[in-house]
Amino acid sequence: VQLQASGGGLVQAGGSLRLSCAASGRTFSNYVLSWFRQAPGKEREFVAAISWNSGNTYYADSVKGRFTISRDSAQNTVYLQMNSLKPEDSAVYYCAAQRGKFFDFATVSRPKEYDYWGQGTLVTVSS
């Protein structure tokens, strides 16, 4: 399984970016696809998750109402639309895949529950 994240870049505060995570190597039925981020000197933190089957989602409180996670089954791709960006959103963003586990916030928000990780894409928000 390979996850290829893209779409990062430099944007001013208040702007928008859309990240993509192209998944290959298998179908993702019964998987959860998620985004995490890690800023310098900080731990990796959960951003958003989507159930591939149902399309149900979870978000971190810090991004609710600003970020939207979605998936395109035909393209085997997960997206993260980020609006109203803030300097504190600056980080390397990673996509990750988790198979066959209970879809609840506690499970999807823990990095150790994930089986596959992409390489990360850098988002920098200037003030």
Side-chain angles (χ1 to χ4, degrees), residues 1 3-5 21 23 28 31-36 44 46 48-50 52 69 78 93-99 108 110-111 113-120:
V1 174
L3 302 174
Q4 183 72 37
C21 177
F28 286 91
Y31 271 68
V32 172
L33 276 293
S34 298
W35 289 95
F36 287 78
R44 192 165 296 191
F46 171 76
I50 187 165
W52 195 264
I69 188 170
V78 175
Y93 283 70
Y94 298 90
C95 58
Q98 176 193 97
R99 63 173 182 261
V108 304
R110 283 196 294 258
E113 300 288 349
Y114 285 79
D115 304 291
Y116 305 103
W117 290 86
Q119 86 289 2

PDB file of all heavy atoms in Angstrom, residues 1 3-5 21 23 28 31-36 44 46 48-50 52 69 78 93-99 108 110-111 113-120:
ATOM      1  N   VAL A   1       0.845  -1.185   0.000  1.00  0.00           N
ATOM      2  CA  VAL A   1       0.000   0.000   0.000  1.00  0.00           C
ATOM      3  C   VAL A   1       0.885   1.241   0.000  1.00  0.00           C
ATOM      4  O   VAL A   1       1.824   1.345   0.785  1.00  0.00           O
ATOM      5  CB  VAL A   1      -0.931   0.032   1.224  1.00  0.00           C
ATOM      6  CG1 VAL A   1      -1.689   1.350   1.277  1.00  0.00           C
ATOM      7  CG2 VAL A   1      -1.888  -1.145   1.182  1.00  0.00           C
ATOM      8  N   LEU A   3       0.695   5.591  -0.030  1.00  0.00           N
ATOM      9  CA  LEU A   3      -0.084   6.809   0.121  1.00  0.00           C
ATOM     10  C   LEU A   3       0.794   7.973  -0.306  1.00  0.00           C
ATOM     11  O   LEU A   3       1.892   8.149   0.235  1.00  0.00           O
ATOM     12  CB  LEU A   3      -0.535   6.992   1.577  1.00  0.00           C
ATOM     13  CG  LEU A   3      -1.374   5.869   2.169  1.00  0.00           C
ATOM     14  CD1 LEU A   3      -1.628   6.116   3.656  1.00  0.00           C
ATOM     15  CD2 LEU A   3      -2.693   5.723   1.435  1.00  0.00           C
ATOM     16  N   GLN A   4       0.321   8.764  -1.249  1.00  0.00           N
ATOM     17  CA  GLN A   4       1.102   9.868  -1.786  1.00  0.00           C
ATOM     18  C   GLN A   4       0.368  11.174  -1.523  1.00  0.00           C
ATOM     19  O   GLN A   4      -0.649  11.455  -2.158  1.00  0.00           O
ATOM     20  CB  GLN A   4       1.314   9.682  -3.286  1.00  0.00           C
ATOM     21  CG  GLN A   4       2.165  10.736  -3.943  1.00  0.00           C
ATOM     22  CD  GLN A   4       3.629  10.631  -3.575  1.00  0.00           C
ATOM     23  OE1 GLN A   4       4.160   9.540  -3.438  1.00  0.00           O
ATOM     24  NE2 GLN A   4       4.272  11.775  -3.403  1.00  0.00           N
ATOM     25  N   ALA A   5       0.897  11.965  -0.585  1.00  0.00           N
ATOM     26  CA  ALA A   5       0.278  13.235  -0.229  1.00  0.00           C
ATOM     27  C   ALA A   5       0.847  14.359  -1.079  1.00  0.00           C
ATOM     28  O   ALA A   5       2.046  14.363  -1.407  1.00  0.00           O
ATOM     29  CB  ALA A   5       0.506  13.533   1.248  1.00  0.00           C
ATOM     30  N   CYS A  21      -4.450  12.950  -1.124  1.00  0.00           N
ATOM     31  CA  CYS A  21      -3.732  11.739  -0.746  1.00  0.00           C
ATOM     32  C   CYS A  21      -4.171  10.643  -1.706  1.00  0.00           C
ATOM     33  O   CYS A  21      -5.291  10.129  -1.586  1.00  0.00           O
ATOM     34  CB  CYS A  21      -4.025  11.354   0.689  1.00  0.00           C
ATOM     35  SG  CYS A  21      -3.239   9.805   1.214  1.00  0.00           S
ATOM     36  N   ALA A  23      -4.104   7.000  -2.971  1.00  0.00           N
ATOM     37  CA  ALA A  23      -3.836   5.688  -2.380  1.00  0.00           C
ATOM     38  C   ALA A  23      -3.760   4.633  -3.467  1.00  0.00           C
ATOM     39  O   ALA A  23      -4.559   4.638  -4.397  1.00  0.00           O
ATOM     40  CB  ALA A  23      -4.942   5.346  -1.389  1.00  0.00           C
ATOM     41  N   PHE A  28      -9.869   0.159  -0.574  1.00  0.00           N
ATOM     42  CA  PHE A  28      -9.888   0.618   0.808  1.00  0.00           C
ATOM     43  C   PHE A  28     -11.222   0.396   1.507  1.00  0.00           C
ATOM     44  O   PHE A  28     -11.548   1.100   2.464  1.00  0.00           O
ATOM     45  CB  PHE A  28      -9.430   2.066   0.876  1.00  0.00           C
ATOM     46  CG  PHE A  28      -7.956   2.193   0.665  1.00  0.00           C
ATOM     47  CD1 PHE A  28      -7.433   2.376  -0.601  1.00  0.00           C
ATOM     48  CD2 PHE A  28      -7.079   2.055   1.720  1.00  0.00           C
ATOM     49  CE1 PHE A  28      -6.063   2.454  -0.800  1.00  0.00           C
ATOM     50  CE2 PHE A  28      -5.713   2.131   1.536  1.00  0.00           C
ATOM     51  CZ  PHE A  28      -5.209   2.327   0.266  1.00  0.00           C
ATOM     52  N   TYR A  31     -11.586   0.504   5.423  1.00  0.00           N
ATOM     53  CA  TYR A  31     -10.484   1.302   5.927  1.00  0.00           C
ATOM     54  C   TYR A  31     -10.990   2.665   6.408  1.00  0.00           C
ATOM     55  O   TYR A  31     -12.043   3.149   5.989  1.00  0.00           O
ATOM     56  CB  TYR A  31      -9.441   1.537   4.834  1.00  0.00           C
ATOM     57  CG  TYR A  31      -8.377   0.474   4.758  1.00  0.00           C
ATOM     58  CD1 TYR A  31      -8.702  -0.815   4.345  1.00  0.00           C
ATOM     59  CD2 TYR A  31      -7.055   0.753   5.069  1.00  0.00           C
ATOM     60  CE1 TYR A  31      -7.726  -1.794   4.265  1.00  0.00           C
ATOM     61  CE2 TYR A  31      -6.074  -0.220   4.976  1.00  0.00           C
ATOM     62  CZ  TYR A  31      -6.415  -1.481   4.577  1.00  0.00           C
ATOM     63  OH  TYR A  31      -5.452  -2.452   4.489  1.00  0.00           O
ATOM     64  N   VAL A  32     -10.184   3.265   7.263  1.00  0.00           N
ATOM     65  CA  VAL A  32     -10.322   4.661   7.642  1.00  0.00           C
ATOM     66  C   VAL A  32      -9.112   5.395   7.073  1.00  0.00           C
ATOM     67  O   VAL A  32      -7.971   4.950   7.248  1.00  0.00           O
ATOM     68  CB  VAL A  32     -10.382   4.838   9.166  1.00  0.00           C
ATOM     69  CG1 VAL A  32     -10.328   6.315   9.549  1.00  0.00           C
ATOM     70  CG2 VAL A  32     -11.629   4.183   9.728  1.00  0.00           C
ATOM     71  N   LEU A  33      -9.369   6.493   6.395  1.00  0.00           N
ATOM     72  CA  LEU A  33      -8.301   7.331   5.867  1.00  0.00           C
ATOM     73  C   LEU A  33      -8.311   8.646   6.635  1.00  0.00           C
ATOM     74  O   LEU A  33      -9.389   9.235   6.832  1.00  0.00           O
ATOM     75  CB  LEU A  33      -8.496   7.598   4.369  1.00  0.00           C
ATOM     76  CG  LEU A  33      -7.996   6.561   3.366  1.00  0.00           C
ATOM     77  CD1 LEU A  33      -6.487   6.462   3.359  1.00  0.00           C
ATOM     78  CD2 LEU A  33      -8.622   5.207   3.599  1.00  0.00           C
ATOM     79  N   SER A  34      -7.137   9.085   7.061  1.00  0.00           N
ATOM     80  CA  SER A  34      -7.074  10.243   7.945  1.00  0.00           C
ATOM     81  C   SER A  34      -5.926  11.164   7.572  1.00  0.00           C
ATOM     82  O   SER A  34      -5.005  10.792   6.843  1.00  0.00           O
ATOM     83  CB  SER A  34      -6.872   9.785   9.399  1.00  0.00           C
ATOM     84  OG  SER A  34      -7.954   9.001   9.827  1.00  0.00           O
ATOM     85  N   TRP A  35      -6.008  12.374   8.121  1.00  0.00           N
ATOM     86  CA  TRP A  35      -4.929  13.347   8.046  1.00  0.00           C
ATOM     87  C   TRP A  35      -4.442  13.655   9.458  1.00  0.00           C
ATOM     88  O   TRP A  35      -5.246  13.852  10.370  1.00  0.00           O
ATOM     89  CB  TRP A  35      -5.405  14.628   7.377  1.00  0.00           C
ATOM     90  CG  TRP A  35      -5.664  14.496   5.918  1.00  0.00           C
ATOM     91  CD1 TRP A  35      -6.858  14.243   5.313  1.00  0.00           C
ATOM     92  CD2 TRP A  35      -4.698  14.603   4.866  1.00  0.00           C
ATOM     93  NE1 TRP A  35      -6.704  14.181   3.950  1.00  0.00           N
ATOM     94  CE2 TRP A  35      -5.383  14.412   3.653  1.00  0.00           C
ATOM     95  CE3 TRP A  35      -3.328  14.860   4.823  1.00  0.00           C
ATOM     96  CZ2 TRP A  35      -4.752  14.452   2.403  1.00  0.00           C
ATOM     97  CZ3 TRP A  35      -2.694  14.903   3.590  1.00  0.00           C
ATOM     98  CH2 TRP A  35      -3.398  14.697   2.402  1.00  0.00           C
ATOM     99  N   PHE A  36      -3.136  13.682   9.590  1.00  0.00           N
ATOM    100  CA  PHE A  36      -2.470  14.131  10.807  1.00  0.00           C
ATOM    101  C   PHE A  36      -1.527  15.263  10.417  1.00  0.00           C
ATOM    102  O   PHE A  36      -1.227  15.459   9.240  1.00  0.00           O
ATOM    103  CB  PHE A  36      -1.646  12.995  11.429  1.00  0.00           C
ATOM    104  CG  PHE A  36      -2.471  11.937  12.095  1.00  0.00           C
ATOM    105  CD1 PHE A  36      -3.125  10.969  11.352  1.00  0.00           C
ATOM    106  CD2 PHE A  36      -2.594  11.893  13.477  1.00  0.00           C
ATOM    107  CE1 PHE A  36      -3.895   9.984  11.960  1.00  0.00           C
ATOM    108  CE2 PHE A  36      -3.352  10.914  14.106  1.00  0.00           C
ATOM    109  CZ  PHE A  36      -4.005   9.964  13.347  1.00  0.00           C
ATOM    110  N   ARG A  44       2.900  14.514  16.688  1.00  0.00           N
ATOM    111  CA  ARG A  44       1.957  14.390  15.583  1.00  0.00           C
ATOM    112  C   ARG A  44       0.540  14.433  16.142  1.00  0.00           C
ATOM    113  O   ARG A  44       0.226  13.748  17.129  1.00  0.00           O
ATOM    114  CB  ARG A  44       2.195  13.076  14.846  1.00  0.00           C
ATOM    115  CG  ARG A  44       1.477  12.955  13.527  1.00  0.00           C
ATOM    116  CD  ARG A  44       2.028  11.815  12.706  1.00  0.00           C
ATOM    117  NE  ARG A  44       3.429  12.038  12.342  1.00  0.00           N
ATOM    118  CZ  ARG A  44       4.093  11.303  11.454  1.00  0.00           C
ATOM    119  NH1 ARG A  44       3.484  10.296  10.844  1.00  0.00           N
ATOM    120  NH2 ARG A  44       5.356  11.543  11.181  1.00  0.00           N
ATOM    121  N   PHE A  46      -3.826  14.542  15.412  1.00  0.00           N
ATOM    122  CA  PHE A  46      -4.938  14.182  14.550  1.00  0.00           C
ATOM    123  C   PHE A  46      -5.607  15.431  13.998  1.00  0.00           C
ATOM    124  O   PHE A  46      -5.782  16.432  14.715  1.00  0.00           O
ATOM    125  CB  PHE A  46      -5.946  13.361  15.348  1.00  0.00           C
ATOM    126  CG  PHE A  46      -7.243  13.115  14.640  1.00  0.00           C
ATOM    127  CD1 PHE A  46      -7.325  12.183  13.616  1.00  0.00           C
ATOM    128  CD2 PHE A  46      -8.373  13.810  14.999  1.00  0.00           C
ATOM    129  CE1 PHE A  46      -8.528  11.951  12.964  1.00  0.00           C
ATOM    130  CE2 PHE A  46      -9.577  13.589  14.362  1.00  0.00           C
ATOM    131  CZ  PHE A  46      -9.656  12.666  13.338  1.00  0.00           C
ATOM    132  N   ALA A  48      -8.239  15.001  10.877  1.00  0.00           N
ATOM    133  CA  ALA A  48      -9.551  14.577  10.379  1.00  0.00           C
ATOM    134  C   ALA A  48      -9.484  13.135   9.901  1.00  0.00           C
ATOM    135  O   ALA A  48      -8.416  12.660   9.501  1.00  0.00           O
ATOM    136  CB  ALA A  48     -10.012  15.480   9.244  1.00  0.00           C
ATOM    137  N   ALA A  49     -10.631  12.460   9.941  1.00  0.00           N
ATOM    138  CA  ALA A  49     -10.717  11.069   9.496  1.00  0.00           C
ATOM    139  C   ALA A  49     -12.009  10.850   8.730  1.00  0.00           C
ATOM    140  O   ALA A  49     -13.020  11.511   9.009  1.00  0.00           O
ATOM    141  CB  ALA A  49     -10.658  10.118  10.690  1.00  0.00           C
ATOM    142  N   ILE A  50     -11.972   9.904   7.797  1.00  0.00           N
ATOM    143  CA  ILE A  50     -13.181   9.541   7.043  1.00  0.00           C
ATOM    144  C   ILE A  50     -13.242   8.030   6.890  1.00  0.00           C
ATOM    145  O   ILE A  50     -12.219   7.379   6.606  1.00  0.00           O
ATOM    146  CB  ILE A  50     -13.212  10.249   5.676  1.00  0.00           C
ATOM    147  CG1 ILE A  50     -14.546  10.012   4.983  1.00  0.00           C
ATOM    148  CG2 ILE A  50     -12.038   9.829   4.789  1.00  0.00           C
ATOM    149  CD1 ILE A  50     -14.789  10.961   3.800  1.00  0.00           C
ATOM    150  N   TRP A  52     -14.033   4.982   4.783  1.00  0.00           N
ATOM    151  CA  TRP A  52     -14.122   4.801   3.333  1.00  0.00           C
ATOM    152  C   TRP A  52     -15.489   4.275   2.929  1.00  0.00           C
ATOM    153  O   TRP A  52     -16.037   4.656   1.899  1.00  0.00           O
ATOM    154  CB  TRP A  52     -13.040   3.820   2.876  1.00  0.00           C
ATOM    155  CG  TRP A  52     -12.828   3.851   1.403  1.00  0.00           C
ATOM    156  CD1 TRP A  52     -13.368   3.025   0.470  1.00  0.00           C
ATOM    157  CD2 TRP A  52     -12.025   4.795   0.696  1.00  0.00           C
ATOM    158  NE1 TRP A  52     -12.944   3.382  -0.783  1.00  0.00           N
ATOM    159  CE2 TRP A  52     -12.120   4.457  -0.678  1.00  0.00           C
ATOM    160  CE3 TRP A  52     -11.251   5.878   1.069  1.00  0.00           C
ATOM    161  CZ2 TRP A  52     -11.457   5.177  -1.663  1.00  0.00           C
ATOM    162  CZ3 TRP A  52     -10.579   6.590   0.084  1.00  0.00           C
ATOM    163  CH2 TRP A  52     -10.690   6.233  -1.254  1.00  0.00           C
ATOM    164  N   ILE A  69     -12.842  16.936   5.150  1.00  0.00           N
ATOM    165  CA  ILE A  69     -12.226  15.741   4.566  1.00  0.00           C
ATOM    166  C   ILE A  69     -13.254  15.054   3.680  1.00  0.00           C
ATOM    167  O   ILE A  69     -14.445  15.011   4.018  1.00  0.00           O
ATOM    168  CB  ILE A  69     -11.709  14.782   5.668  1.00  0.00           C
ATOM    169  CG1 ILE A  69     -10.889  13.646   5.056  1.00  0.00           C
ATOM    170  CG2 ILE A  69     -12.846  14.255   6.536  1.00  0.00           C
ATOM    171  CD1 ILE A  69     -10.145  12.797   6.100  1.00  0.00           C
ATOM    172  N   VAL A  78      -8.136  10.709  -1.138  1.00  0.00           N
ATOM    173  CA  VAL A  78      -8.739  11.443  -0.029  1.00  0.00           C
ATOM    174  C   VAL A  78      -8.264  12.887  -0.100  1.00  0.00           C
ATOM    175  O   VAL A  78      -7.093  13.139  -0.423  1.00  0.00           O
ATOM    176  CB  VAL A  78      -8.344  10.822   1.322  1.00  0.00           C
ATOM    177  CG1 VAL A  78      -8.857  11.658   2.478  1.00  0.00           C
ATOM    178  CG2 VAL A  78      -8.877   9.412   1.430  1.00  0.00           C
ATOM    179  N   TYR A  93       1.802  17.822   6.884  1.00  0.00           N
ATOM    180  CA  TYR A  93       0.552  17.078   6.929  1.00  0.00           C
ATOM    181  C   TYR A  93       0.779  15.686   6.328  1.00  0.00           C
ATOM    182  O   TYR A  93       1.348  15.559   5.233  1.00  0.00           O
ATOM    183  CB  TYR A  93      -0.541  17.810   6.159  1.00  0.00           C
ATOM    184  CG  TYR A  93      -1.107  18.970   6.937  1.00  0.00           C
ATOM    185  CD1 TYR A  93      -0.362  20.125   7.167  1.00  0.00           C
ATOM    186  CD2 TYR A  93      -2.402  18.914   7.472  1.00  0.00           C
ATOM    187  CE1 TYR A  93      -0.860  21.177   7.898  1.00  0.00           C
ATOM    188  CE2 TYR A  93      -2.921  19.974   8.201  1.00  0.00           C
ATOM    189  CZ  TYR A  93      -2.142  21.092   8.414  1.00  0.00           C
ATOM    190  OH  TYR A  93      -2.653  22.142   9.145  1.00  0.00           O
ATOM    191  N   TYR A  94       0.314  14.678   7.064  1.00  0.00           N
ATOM    192  CA  TYR A  94       0.471  13.288   6.657  1.00  0.00           C
ATOM    193  C   TYR A  94      -0.897  12.642   6.471  1.00  0.00           C
ATOM    194  O   TYR A  94      -1.810  12.872   7.274  1.00  0.00           O
ATOM    195  CB  TYR A  94       1.215  12.492   7.726  1.00  0.00           C
ATOM    196  CG  TYR A  94       2.610  12.957   8.004  1.00  0.00           C
ATOM    197  CD1 TYR A  94       2.865  13.914   8.974  1.00  0.00           C
ATOM    198  CD2 TYR A  94       3.687  12.421   7.309  1.00  0.00           C
ATOM    199  CE1 TYR A  94       4.163  14.345   9.247  1.00  0.00           C
ATOM    200  CE2 TYR A  94       4.986  12.843   7.575  1.00  0.00           C
ATOM    201  CZ  TYR A  94       5.206  13.796   8.536  1.00  0.00           C
ATOM    202  OH  TYR A  94       6.493  14.207   8.799  1.00  0.00           O
ATOM    203  N   CYS A  95      -1.019  11.819   5.432  1.00  0.00           N
ATOM    204  CA  CYS A  95      -2.204  10.985   5.345  1.00  0.00           C
ATOM    205  C   CYS A  95      -1.852   9.582   5.844  1.00  0.00           C
ATOM    206  O   CYS A  95      -0.694   9.161   5.780  1.00  0.00           O
ATOM    207  CB  CYS A  95      -2.778  10.938   3.939  1.00  0.00           C
ATOM    208  SG  CYS A  95      -1.665  10.353   2.661  1.00  0.00           S
ATOM    209  N   ALA A  96      -2.857   8.899   6.360  1.00  0.00           N
ATOM    210  CA  ALA A  96      -2.642   7.582   6.956  1.00  0.00           C
ATOM    211  C   ALA A  96      -3.871   6.715   6.740  1.00  0.00           C
ATOM    212  O   ALA A  96      -4.981   7.230   6.595  1.00  0.00           O
ATOM    213  CB  ALA A  96      -2.347   7.723   8.450  1.00  0.00           C
ATOM    214  N   ALA A  97      -3.656   5.406   6.745  1.00  0.00           N
ATOM    215  CA  ALA A  97      -4.738   4.447   6.533  1.00  0.00           C
ATOM    216  C   ALA A  97      -4.758   3.423   7.664  1.00  0.00           C
ATOM    217  O   ALA A  97      -3.710   2.914   8.084  1.00  0.00           O
ATOM    218  CB  ALA A  97      -4.573   3.738   5.193  1.00  0.00           C
ATOM    219  N   GLN A  98      -5.965   3.129   8.116  1.00  0.00           N
ATOM    220  CA  GLN A  98      -6.189   2.219   9.230  1.00  0.00           C
ATOM    221  C   GLN A  98      -7.233   1.205   8.784  1.00  0.00           C
ATOM    222  O   GLN A  98      -8.277   1.598   8.261  1.00  0.00           O
ATOM    223  CB  GLN A  98      -6.715   3.033  10.413  1.00  0.00           C
ATOM    224  CG  GLN A  98      -7.106   2.275  11.636  1.00  0.00           C
ATOM    225  CD  GLN A  98      -7.897   3.181  12.569  1.00  0.00           C
ATOM    226  OE1 GLN A  98      -9.118   3.164  12.570  1.00  0.00           O
ATOM    227  NE2 GLN A  98      -7.210   3.971  13.378  1.00  0.00           N
ATOM    228  N   ARG A  99      -6.967  -0.074   8.991  1.00  0.00           N
ATOM    229  CA  ARG A  99      -7.902  -1.073   8.477  1.00  0.00           C
ATOM    230  C   ARG A  99      -8.683  -1.757   9.580  1.00  0.00           C
ATOM    231  O   ARG A  99      -8.154  -2.069  10.631  1.00  0.00           O
ATOM    232  CB  ARG A  99      -7.163  -2.128   7.657  1.00  0.00           C
ATOM    233  CG  ARG A  99      -6.152  -2.934   8.424  1.00  0.00           C
ATOM    234  CD  ARG A  99      -5.594  -4.071   7.552  1.00  0.00           C
ATOM    235  NE  ARG A  99      -4.637  -4.884   8.300  1.00  0.00           N
ATOM    236  CZ  ARG A  99      -3.326  -4.745   8.201  1.00  0.00           C
ATOM    237  NH1 ARG A  99      -2.808  -3.867   7.370  1.00  0.00           N
ATOM    238  NH2 ARG A  99      -2.520  -5.511   8.912  1.00  0.00           N
ATOM    239  N   VAL A 108      -9.616   6.549  15.873  1.00  0.00           N
ATOM    240  CA  VAL A 108      -9.115   7.200  14.661  1.00  0.00           C
ATOM    241  C   VAL A 108      -8.125   8.319  14.980  1.00  0.00           C
ATOM    242  O   VAL A 108      -7.351   8.715  14.104  1.00  0.00           O
ATOM    243  CB  VAL A 108     -10.260   7.752  13.777  1.00  0.00           C
ATOM    244  CG1 VAL A 108     -11.250   6.653  13.431  1.00  0.00           C
ATOM    245  CG2 VAL A 108     -10.966   8.930  14.439  1.00  0.00           C
ATOM    246  N   ARG A 110      -5.625   8.241  17.222  1.00  0.00           N
ATOM    247  CA  ARG A 110      -4.337   7.756  17.736  1.00  0.00           C
ATOM    248  C   ARG A 110      -3.417   7.321  16.605  1.00  0.00           C
ATOM    249  O   ARG A 110      -3.717   6.365  15.890  1.00  0.00           O
ATOM    250  CB  ARG A 110      -4.550   6.572  18.683  1.00  0.00           C
ATOM    251  CG  ARG A 110      -5.037   6.953  20.060  1.00  0.00           C
ATOM    252  CD  ARG A 110      -4.857   5.809  21.026  1.00  0.00           C
ATOM    253  NE  ARG A 110      -5.700   4.674  20.689  1.00  0.00           N
ATOM    254  CZ  ARG A 110      -6.831   4.374  21.311  1.00  0.00           C
ATOM    255  NH1 ARG A 110      -7.266   5.159  22.279  1.00  0.00           N
ATOM    256  NH2 ARG A 110      -7.537   3.317  20.971  1.00  0.00           N
ATOM    257  N   PRO A 111      -2.264   7.968  16.452  1.00  0.00           N
ATOM    258  CA  PRO A 111      -1.347   7.589  15.358  1.00  0.00           C
ATOM    259  C   PRO A 111      -0.953   6.112  15.390  1.00  0.00           C
ATOM    260  O   PRO A 111      -0.782   5.501  14.334  1.00  0.00           O
ATOM    261  CB  PRO A 111      -0.140   8.493  15.604  1.00  0.00           C
ATOM    262  CG  PRO A 111      -0.703   9.695  16.284  1.00  0.00           C
ATOM    263  CD  PRO A 111      -1.805   9.174  17.156  1.00  0.00           C
ATOM    264  N   GLU A 113      -2.600   3.571  15.857  1.00  0.00           N
ATOM    265  CA  GLU A 113      -3.625   2.673  15.305  1.00  0.00           C
ATOM    266  C   GLU A 113      -3.536   2.536  13.795  1.00  0.00           C
ATOM    267  O   GLU A 113      -4.273   1.763  13.205  1.00  0.00           O
ATOM    268  CB  GLU A 113      -5.020   3.193  15.672  1.00  0.00           C
ATOM    269  CG  GLU A 113      -5.289   3.299  17.160  1.00  0.00           C
ATOM    270  CD  GLU A 113      -5.453   1.949  17.833  1.00  0.00           C
ATOM    271  OE1 GLU A 113      -5.567   0.937  17.116  1.00  0.00           O
ATOM    272  OE2 GLU A 113      -5.455   1.912  19.077  1.00  0.00           O
ATOM    273  N   TYR A 114      -2.627   3.270  13.154  1.00  0.00           N
ATOM    274  CA  TYR A 114      -2.577   3.309  11.698  1.00  0.00           C
ATOM    275  C   TYR A 114      -1.535   2.358  11.142  1.00  0.00           C
ATOM    276  O   TYR A 114      -0.444   2.192  11.697  1.00  0.00           O
ATOM    277  CB  TYR A 114      -2.354   4.743  11.219  1.00  0.00           C
ATOM    278  CG  TYR A 114      -3.618   5.539  11.367  1.00  0.00           C
ATOM    279  CD1 TYR A 114      -3.987   6.050  12.602  1.00  0.00           C
ATOM    280  CD2 TYR A 114      -4.478   5.717  10.290  1.00  0.00           C
ATOM    281  CE1 TYR A 114      -5.181   6.726  12.761  1.00  0.00           C
ATOM    282  CE2 TYR A 114      -5.671   6.410  10.443  1.00  0.00           C
ATOM    283  CZ  TYR A 114      -6.013   6.904  11.677  1.00  0.00           C
ATOM    284  OH  TYR A 114      -7.197   7.564  11.834  1.00  0.00           O
ATOM    285  N   ASP A 115      -1.895   1.756  10.019  1.00  0.00           N
ATOM    286  CA  ASP A 115      -1.064   0.735   9.393  1.00  0.00           C
ATOM    287  C   ASP A 115      -0.157   1.292   8.291  1.00  0.00           C
ATOM    288  O   ASP A 115       0.906   0.734   8.009  1.00  0.00           O
ATOM    289  CB  ASP A 115      -1.960  -0.355   8.794  1.00  0.00           C
ATOM    290  CG  ASP A 115      -2.892  -0.957   9.834  1.00  0.00           C
ATOM    291  OD1 ASP A 115      -2.384  -1.652  10.728  1.00  0.00           O
ATOM    292  OD2 ASP A 115      -4.113  -0.722   9.764  1.00  0.00           O
ATOM    293  N   TYR A 116      -0.596   2.347   7.643  1.00  0.00           N
ATOM    294  CA  TYR A 116       0.156   2.893   6.512  1.00  0.00           C
ATOM    295  C   TYR A 116       0.194   4.415   6.623  1.00  0.00           C
ATOM    296  O   TYR A 116      -0.797   5.046   7.008  1.00  0.00           O
ATOM    297  CB  TYR A 116      -0.500   2.502   5.184  1.00  0.00           C
ATOM    298  CG  TYR A 116      -0.688   1.015   5.024  1.00  0.00           C
ATOM    299  CD1 TYR A 116      -1.940   0.438   5.210  1.00  0.00           C
ATOM    300  CD2 TYR A 116       0.384   0.183   4.711  1.00  0.00           C
ATOM    301  CE1 TYR A 116      -2.123  -0.923   5.079  1.00  0.00           C
ATOM    302  CE2 TYR A 116       0.205  -1.177   4.571  1.00  0.00           C
ATOM    303  CZ  TYR A 116      -1.042  -1.719   4.758  1.00  0.00           C
ATOM    304  OH  TYR A 116      -1.218  -3.079   4.630  1.00  0.00           O
ATOM    305  N   TRP A 117       1.339   4.988   6.214  1.00  0.00           N
ATOM    306  CA  TRP A 117       1.542   6.429   6.245  1.00  0.00           C
ATOM    307  C   TRP A 117       2.121   6.919   4.934  1.00  0.00           C
ATOM    308  O   TRP A 117       2.953   6.230   4.322  1.00  0.00           O
ATOM    309  CB  TRP A 117       2.516   6.800   7.375  1.00  0.00           C
ATOM    310  CG  TRP A 117       1.934   6.605   8.741  1.00  0.00           C
ATOM    311  CD1 TRP A 117       1.930   5.460   9.477  1.00  0.00           C
ATOM    312  CD2 TRP A 117       1.247   7.587   9.519  1.00  0.00           C
ATOM    313  NE1 TRP A 117       1.283   5.673  10.681  1.00  0.00           N
ATOM    314  CE2 TRP A 117       0.863   6.971  10.726  1.00  0.00           C
ATOM    315  CE3 TRP A 117       0.935   8.933   9.325  1.00  0.00           C
ATOM    316  CZ2 TRP A 117       0.168   7.652  11.738  1.00  0.00           C
ATOM    317  CZ3 TRP A 117       0.250   9.604  10.319  1.00  0.00           C
ATOM    318  CH2 TRP A 117      -0.121   8.960  11.516  1.00  0.00           C
ATOM    319  N   GLY A 118       1.682   8.120   4.531  1.00  0.00           N
ATOM    320  CA  GLY A 118       2.289   8.789   3.398  1.00  0.00           C
ATOM    321  C   GLY A 118       3.508   9.564   3.835  1.00  0.00           C
ATOM    322  O   GLY A 118       3.856   9.609   5.021  1.00  0.00           O
ATOM    323  N   GLN A 119       4.128  10.247   2.886  1.00  0.00           N
ATOM    324  CA  GLN A 119       5.414  10.898   3.147  1.00  0.00           C
ATOM    325  C   GLN A 119       5.289  12.309   3.720  1.00  0.00           C
ATOM    326  O   GLN A 119       6.267  12.842   4.193  1.00  0.00           O
ATOM    327  CB  GLN A 119       6.258  10.943   1.859  1.00  0.00           C
ATOM    328  CG  GLN A 119       5.996  12.133   0.955  1.00  0.00           C
ATOM    329  CD  GLN A 119       4.656  12.071   0.250  1.00  0.00           C
ATOM    330  OE1 GLN A 119       3.852  11.169   0.421  1.00  0.00           O
ATOM    331  NE2 GLN A 119       4.404  13.076  -0.573  1.00  0.00           N
ATOM    332  N   GLY A 120       4.122  12.896   3.672  1.00  0.00           N
ATOM    333  CA  GLY A 120       3.936  14.232   4.218  1.00  0.00           C
ATOM    334  C   GLY A 120       4.062  15.328   3.181  1.00  0.00           C
ATOM    335  O   GLY A 120       4.817  15.216   2.211  1.00  0.00           O
TER     336      GLY A 120
END
